[in-house]
Amino acid sequence: MQPLQLADRVFTSRLFTGTGKFGSVSVMTEALRASGTELVTVALKRVHADDPGDEMLAGLSGIPLLPNTSGVRNAREAVFAAQMAREALETHWIKLEIHPDPRYLLPDPIETLAAAEELARLGFVVLPYVHADPVLCKRLEEAGAAAVMPLAAPIGSNKGLKTFDFLEIIIAQSRVPVVVDAGLGAPSHAAAAMEMGADAVLVNTAIAVSEDPVRMAQAFRMAVEAGRMAWEARLAPVVSHAVASSPLTAFLED
Amino acid sequence: MQPLQLADRVFTSRLFTGTGKFGSVSVMTEALRASGTELVTVALKRVHADDPGDEMLAGLSGIPLLPNTSGVRNAREAVFAAQMAREALETHWIKLEIHPDPRYLLPDPIETLAAAEELARLGFVVLPYVHADPVLCKRLEEAGAAAVMPLAAPIGSNKGLKTFDFLEIIIAQSRVPVVVDAGLGAPSHAAAAMEMGADAVLVNTAIAVSEDPVRMAQAFRMAVEAGRMAWEARLAPVVSHAVASSPLTAFLED
Amino acid sequence: MQPLQLADRVFTSRLFTGTGKFGSVSVMTEALRASGTELVTVALKRVHADDPGDEMLAGLSGIPLLPNTSGVRNAREAVFAAQMAREALETHWIKLEIHPDPRYLLPDPIETLAAAEELARLGFVVLPYVHADPVLCKRLEEAGAAAVMPLAAPIGSNKGLKTFDFLEIIIAQSRVPVVVDAGLGAPSHAAAAMEMGADAVLVNTAIAVSEDPVRMAQAFRMAVEAGRMAWEARLAPVVSHAVASSPLTAFLED
Amino acid sequence: MQPLQLADRVFTSRLFTGTGKFGSVSVMTEALRASGTELVTVALKRVHADDPGDEMLAGLSGIPLLPNTSGVRNAREAVFAAQMAREALETHWIKLEIHPDPRYLLPDPIETLAAAEELARLGFVVLPYVHADPVLCKRLEEAGAAAVMPLAAPIGSNKGLKTFDFLEIIIAQSRVPVVVDAGLGAPSHAAAAMEMGADAVLVNTAIAVSEDPVRMAQAFRMAVEAGRMAWEARLAPVVSHAVASSPLTAFLED
């Protein structure tokens, strides 16, 4: 599997994860380690980096953190949160999330673009969570986003690749990595996102609320690798029915 | 991953494969080894078991073969072919395929049931390839089939789980293993079949006609394991939108 | 809209209906009249044709009835039921339904084919309800069925065209009318079945259990006509994205 | 069917149409009349309202026109185009379309919101064409849009309701009419949009490029009415399999 270059880092794992909804810190830690993830998003508001006993951060030691701006309502708050995160966690990477509505947690395109422009100008590596809107993704790229993170389905819904037709366009057009975020509820969904050419996926809920998060994390890890390998090997085309066998199958045939 | 018991054998791999449509015997051999498969179906008519130089059989040495009756047009011919296969390959396992129409290669339910009854009576381990017809699958089980092999989509189409709603019923009702066969065109399709509780899958075309069959075989291998593990760990439920965070997420939240 | 020829009758309406699950006989009667249907299936066991006060039959007076064999468990019982229906209702048309399992009401392919052969020999106009199995449909046609009635989804599920890929093959191959039966839960489902070239649809549950069966019956009536007209006018092809405008649109453009 | 109130007008027809891609003006005129439409969008740049011989406008006489801003690249140009349209066509209704990319014609969320704010302030009845982005739709409503026009699929693709999961949220949240626009390729797609509670649909390509635009227009007309009636009558719920019959069906059963 080819490594992923994102901004100035190289990733062996194409499975990004989060820290929400786990039943305990120890389960979370074990699951994230099992996932092989090399980037874990964490809500700034929940981090107490100056607290040496912060159990969560201790458990994740060694795995790079990606602070996110979850909870902010507009661009101004997002920029402020990113600056706080930079200080607290000593990283200029930021997952930009602006979803004012508490019910669906869907991202606001206007505020997100405004914040991305400002944060890029301030030297951040900006990874914006957005609707699967090809025009918005292109504008975010032009504004200096290091990647785009379009959603597959409403966050937490586990519905899978509901935005397939738009992700296809986003992937075809993008010159920055495309990380499919939100709504991937099963390893098969993550594999399918990779098979269509996504550069990475972010999975949180589907791992955290499984009956066995550690095993589910392993399953997602393998599925992401499988999907990426399939993309590299090129999928067989979808056809309306079986085609006649090739000459070789005169003696090799199933 | 739990092993699979099918008739009197135990399988570590839940990925069954075939030998059709590969570009060469050496690619086929390498791909099937990479797939980790422990059961490879092969058309009887193509096997020359008495020929010590049979290149294909030599390459597969050590991987159990599952002769199939591909090419027969009715139950009578199928029973005859199975008996020939038993002698030639010294196995009483038989994949029962009766698809009179050369265009779609779809199985004939009537002839398949008749042949299954007869072959079970003759002591064969019968694995019938059938439409995803829950009543037919139940009747085949009652007739003594060791497993049922319902199709996911027209064979060779690579369309994926088009019979999802019927496979669900078949899996819920079956007391013999359910092996999803035909139409799985991507690792994500195979993972999805396993996630819904299939006991195994059979993949041939999607591996054989990929640009890189060896890598694709590995991808399917991982995807099948991922799907099985996800089934064992239980998928998170599909919901219409994000649910409120659990109490714990007062401090752990993505 | 072109009329439908089925056996020796011509139908203006391509919406066949049933009598199950309505809240009252009067609602049923009004709904079936609103549907414009010219063929209503009715379970023989529920008909008391010799009872001059049979409210249901009275309400339907003028609409041709299609007795069905619902409740029988095998071919022998089906043939007997068909003969009783012929006498009681003075019609040699029969909807052949053999679904031994009371949970899913899915049809048995083996018994259905056996009964169809016998009933055709006995001079019946046989309309068998079957799984969307292209090989079985072809065999039923060869056995003398006047039409085939493949299911769209499990009966009563309202899931819509879940068997699309197989209905496509059935429609392409069939030389008798194809009536899509079971599982159509919305007018859009019925329209889609007609758009793909089905000759007619049968709808019962979706009308009967609606909050307003009369209005829903009208909606299905219009949707079936719309779908048929669209098929006659040919749908625009599905493309991956907008194509360049034609020369004419130099001055006509949206 | 209930009439639709949109801004200060009442519509009997819930099928909005366009003028692009027709083979001739006469076919367009006949098709639009057959569709029963009461609102036809037309590109300002193509209209020569001061030309008494403008064949297109003459043909549509009596059908209200909805000028659109197709061809503009940003908010500033859109506002200018809307003002020109107001003068030329003597209507303050405007379909706001800003899609800078000529390949996919997908709308720009940022420019669209900016233009909608300005146009609403200038007294226009603004109907913006947008991605199926629930947050954006809410912001457009707050900015004074008279309706929102989210897309079903890439324009001209005929793919149908690819944004179903997001349209569901938009419809649930919106306090202005929701008109599903772009991508509806078949009457069944239009019916499905109405069944889920859309207030209206806009269809152009699917009618214009059909082999028989007049008949296709009639088909869409009926399908839209059918879908609306089904929504008013409430669809039967989707269930996993047939439910037991109600008591009444002791004597009424299909």
Side-chain angles (χ1 to χ4, degrees):
Chain A
M1 202 175 71
Q2 298 159 350
L4 166 65
Q5 172 99 32
L6 200 169
D8 57 347
R9 283 198 218 154
V10 174
F11 294 85
T12 305
S13 164
R14 289 169 180 271
L15 174 58
F16 299 167
T17 57
T19 56
K21 299 186 184 170
F22 283 93
S24 75
V25 170
S26 64
V27 166
M28 181 198 81
T29 304
E30 200 186 342
L32 295 184
R33 296 217 169 273
S35 75
T37 191
E38 294 166 11
L39 198 64
V40 179
T41 187
V42 57
L44 172 67
K45 58 184 174 190
R46 303 306 178 197
V47 169
H48 307 91
D50 50 353
D51 173 1
D54 186 303
E55 191 188 6
M56 185 175 71
L57 289 188
L60 296 176
S61 110
I63 306 181
L65 297 182
L66 175 65
N68 67 53
T69 63
S70 181
V72 307
R73 286 160 303 173
N74 54 43
R76 196 181 45 76
E77 290 181 13
V79 172
F80 180 71
Q83 287 168 319
M84 282 188 54
R86 178 155 61 178
E87 253 182 71
L89 293 171
E90 296 177 349
T91 174
H92 61 302
W93 285 50
I94 189 78
K95 184 179 176 205
L96 177 58
E97 296 186 29
I98 309 181
H99 35 66
D101 174 55
R103 184 176 168 91
Y104 295 106
L105 305 180
L106 289 167
D108 183 316
I110 315 296
E111 301 298 324
T112 301
L113 180 61
E117 282 167 350
E118 175 70 5
L119 289 169
R121 226 172 31 78
L122 294 171
F124 282 89
V125 171
V126 186
L127 291 83
Y129 160 61
V130 284
H131 202 67
D133 177 333
V135 177
L136 180 61
C137 285
K138 208 64 196 163
R139 290 196 67 155
L140 284 162
E141 173 189 321
E142 288 160 7
V148 288
M149 303 186 72
L151 53 76
I155 195 165
S157 72
N158 297 313
K159 286 184 175 179
L161 283 179
K162 293 301 183 181
T163 55
F164 183 91
D165 294 87
F166 301 96
L167 291 174
E168 232 177 9
I169 298 173
I170 291 169
I171 290 169
Q173 289 186 336
S174 190
R175 278 178 297 198
V176 293
V178 177
V179 183
V180 175
D181 188 9
L184 301 175
S188 60
H189 302 161
M194 299 307 294
E195 286 164 2
M196 71 187 295
D199 295 283
V201 297
L202 192 151
V203 178
N204 181 3
T205 302
I207 294 174
V209 312
S210 161
E211 286 187 16
D212 185 344
V214 176
R215 196 186 301 216
M216 190 59 83
Q218 291 174 304
F220 269 98
R221 176 189 197 151
M222 284 193 296
V224 168
E225 288 184 29
R228 178 65 189 185
M229 288 175 69
W231 184 80
E232 292 176 4
R234 299 283 170 255
L235 291 179
V238 173
V239 294
S240 63
H241 58 85
V243 289
S245 293
S246 68
L248 180 80
T249 57
F251 64 93
L252 284 184
E253 191 172 273
D254 156 53
Chain B
M1 204 176 69
Q2 297 159 352
L4 166 65
Q5 171 99 34
L6 200 169
D8 57 346
R9 283 198 218 155
V10 174
F11 294 84
T12 304
S13 164
R14 290 170 180 270
L15 174 57
F16 299 167
T17 57
T19 57
K21 298 186 186 169
F22 282 95
S24 74
V25 170
S26 64
V27 166
M28 180 197 81
T29 305
E30 200 187 343
L32 296 184
R33 296 219 169 271
S35 75
T37 191
E38 294 166 11
L39 199 63
V40 179
T41 187
V42 57
L44 172 67
K45 58 185 174 189
R46 305 305 177 198
V47 170
H48 307 91
D50 50 353
D51 173 2
D54 186 303
E55 192 189 5
M56 183 174 74
L57 289 188
L60 297 176
S61 111
I63 306 181
L65 296 182
L66 175 65
N68 68 54
T69 63
S70 181
V72 306
R73 286 161 303 173
N74 53 43
R76 195 180 48 75
E77 290 182 13
V79 171
F80 180 71
Q83 287 168 318
M84 281 188 54
R86 177 155 62 177
E87 254 181 71
L89 293 170
E90 296 178 350
T91 174
H92 61 302
W93 284 49
I94 190 80
K95 183 179 176 205
L96 178 57
E97 297 185 29
I98 309 180
H99 34 67
D101 174 56
R103 183 176 168 91
Y104 295 105
L105 305 180
L106 290 167
D108 183 315
I110 314 295
E111 301 299 323
T112 302
L113 179 61
E117 282 166 350
E118 175 70 5
L119 289 169
R121 225 172 31 78
L122 293 171
F124 282 89
V125 171
V126 186
L127 291 84
Y129 159 61
V130 285
H131 202 68
D133 177 333
V135 177
L136 180 62
C137 285
K138 208 63 195 165
R139 289 195 67 155
L140 284 163
E141 173 189 321
E142 288 160 6
V148 288
M149 304 187 70
L151 53 78
I155 196 166
S157 71
N158 298 312
K159 286 185 175 177
L161 283 180
K162 293 300 182 181
T163 55
F164 183 90
D165 294 86
F166 301 95
L167 291 174
E168 234 178 7
I169 298 172
I170 291 168
I171 290 169
Q173 290 186 335
S174 190
R175 279 178 296 198
V176 293
V178 176
V179 183
V180 176
D181 188 8
L184 301 176
S188 60
H189 301 162
M194 299 306 295
E195 285 165 3
M196 71 187 293
D199 295 282
V201 296
L202 192 151
V203 177
N204 180 6
T205 301
I207 294 173
V209 310
S210 161
E211 286 187 16
D212 185 344
V214 177
R215 196 186 301 215
M216 190 58 84
Q218 290 174 306
F220 269 99
R221 175 189 197 153
M222 284 193 296
V224 169
E225 288 183 30
R228 177 65 189 186
M229 286 176 68
W231 185 81
E232 292 176 5
R234 300 284 169 254
L235 291 178
V238 174
V239 295
S240 62
H241 59 85
V243 288
S245 293
S246 67
L248 180 79
T249 59
F251 65 92
L252 284 185
E253 191 171 273
D254 156 54
Chain C
M1 203 176 70
Q2 298 159 350
L4 166 66
Q5 171 101 32
L6 200 168
D8 56 348
R9 283 198 218 157
V10 173
F11 294 84
T12 305
S13 164
R14 290 171 181 269
L15 174 57
F16 300 167
T17 57
T19 57
K21 299 186 184 169
F22 282 94
S24 75
V25 170
S26 65
V27 166
M28 180 197 81
T29 305
E30 200 187 341
L32 295 184
R33 296 217 170 273
S35 76
T37 191
E38 295 165 10
L39 199 63
V40 179
T41 186
V42 56
L44 172 68
K45 58 184 173 188
R46 304 304 177 196
V47 170
H48 307 93
D50 50 352
D51 173 1
D54 186 304
E55 192 188 4
M56 184 175 72
L57 289 189
L60 296 176
S61 111
I63 306 181
L65 296 182
L66 175 65
N68 68 54
T69 63
S70 181
V72 307
R73 286 161 302 173
N74 54 43
R76 197 181 46 76
E77 290 181 14
V79 171
F80 181 71
Q83 288 168 318
M84 282 188 54
R86 177 155 63 177
E87 253 181 71
L89 293 171
E90 295 177 350
T91 174
H92 61 300
W93 284 50
I94 189 79
K95 184 178 176 206
L96 178 58
E97 296 186 28
I98 309 180
H99 35 67
D101 174 56
R103 183 175 168 92
Y104 296 105
L105 304 180
L106 289 167
D108 183 316
I110 315 295
E111 301 298 324
T112 302
L113 180 60
E117 281 167 352
E118 176 69 6
L119 288 168
R121 226 172 31 78
L122 294 171
F124 282 89
V125 171
V126 186
L127 291 84
Y129 159 60
V130 285
H131 201 68
D133 177 333
V135 178
L136 180 61
C137 285
K138 208 63 195 163
R139 291 196 66 157
L140 285 162
E141 173 189 322
E142 287 159 7
V148 288
M149 303 186 72
L151 53 78
I155 195 166
S157 71
N158 298 313
K159 286 184 175 179
L161 282 180
K162 293 300 183 181
T163 55
F164 182 91
D165 294 87
F166 301 96
L167 291 173
E168 232 177 10
I169 298 172
I170 291 168
I171 291 168
Q173 290 187 336
S174 191
R175 279 178 295 197
V176 293
V178 176
V179 182
V180 176
D181 188 9
L184 300 176
S188 61
H189 301 162
M194 299 307 294
E195 285 164 3
M196 70 187 293
D199 296 281
V201 296
L202 192 151
V203 178
N204 181 3
T205 301
I207 294 173
V209 311
S210 161
E211 285 187 16
D212 184 344
V214 176
R215 194 186 303 215
M216 190 58 83
Q218 290 174 305
F220 269 98
R221 176 189 197 152
M222 283 193 296
V224 168
E225 288 184 29
R228 177 66 188 184
M229 286 175 70
W231 184 81
E232 292 176 3
R234 299 284 170 254
L235 290 178
V238 174
V239 294
S240 62
H241 59 85
V243 288
S245 293
S246 68
L248 180 81
T249 57
F251 65 93
L252 284 184
E253 191 171 273
D254 155 56
Chain D
M1 202 177 69
Q2 298 159 351
L4 166 65
Q5 172 99 32
L6 200 169
D8 56 347
R9 283 198 217 154
V10 173
F11 293 85
T12 306
S13 164
R14 290 171 180 270
L15 174 58
F16 299 167
T17 57
T19 56
K21 298 186 186 171
F22 283 94
S24 75
V25 171
S26 65
V27 165
M28 180 197 82
T29 305
E30 199 186 342
L32 295 184
R33 297 220 169 271
S35 75
T37 192
E38 294 166 11
L39 198 63
V40 178
T41 187
V42 56
L44 171 68
K45 57 185 174 188
R46 304 305 177 198
V47 170
H48 307 91
D50 49 354
D51 173 1
D54 186 304
E55 191 189 5
M56 184 176 71
L57 289 188
L60 295 176
S61 110
I63 306 181
L65 296 182
L66 175 65
N68 67 54
T69 63
S70 182
V72 307
R73 286 159 303 173
N74 54 42
R76 195 180 48 75
E77 290 181 13
V79 171
F80 180 71
Q83 287 168 319
M84 282 189 53
R86 177 156 61 177
E87 254 182 70
L89 293 171
E90 296 178 348
T91 174
H92 62 300
W93 285 50
I94 189 78
K95 184 180 176 205
L96 177 58
E97 296 186 28
I98 309 181
H99 34 67
D101 175 57
R103 184 176 168 91
Y104 295 106
L105 304 181
L106 289 167
D108 183 316
I110 315 296
E111 301 299 324
T112 302
L113 180 60
E117 282 167 350
E118 176 69 5
L119 289 169
R121 225 169 34 75
L122 293 171
F124 282 89
V125 172
V126 186
L127 291 84
Y129 159 59
V130 285
H131 203 68
D133 177 333
V135 177
L136 180 61
C137 285
K138 208 63 195 164
R139 289 194 69 155
L140 285 162
E141 173 189 321
E142 288 160 7
V148 288
M149 303 187 71
L151 54 77
I155 195 165
S157 70
N158 297 314
K159 286 184 175 179
L161 283 179
K162 293 300 182 181
T163 55
F164 182 91
D165 294 86
F166 301 95
L167 291 173
E168 234 178 8
I169 297 173
I170 291 168
I171 290 169
Q173 289 187 336
S174 191
R175 279 178 296 198
V176 292
V178 176
V179 183
V180 176
D181 188 8
L184 300 176
S188 60
H189 300 162
M194 299 308 294
E195 286 164 3
M196 70 186 294
D199 295 282
V201 296
L202 192 152
V203 177
N204 180 3
T205 301
I207 294 174
V209 311
S210 161
E211 286 187 16
D212 185 343
V214 177
R215 194 185 303 215
M216 190 60 83
Q218 291 173 305
F220 269 98
R221 176 189 197 151
M222 284 193 295
V224 169
E225 289 184 29
R228 177 66 188 185
M229 286 176 69
W231 185 81
E232 292 175 4
R234 300 283 170 255
L235 290 179
V238 173
V239 295
S240 62
H241 58 84
V243 289
S245 292
S246 68
L248 180 81
T249 58
F251 64 92
L252 285 184
E253 191 171 272
D254 156 53

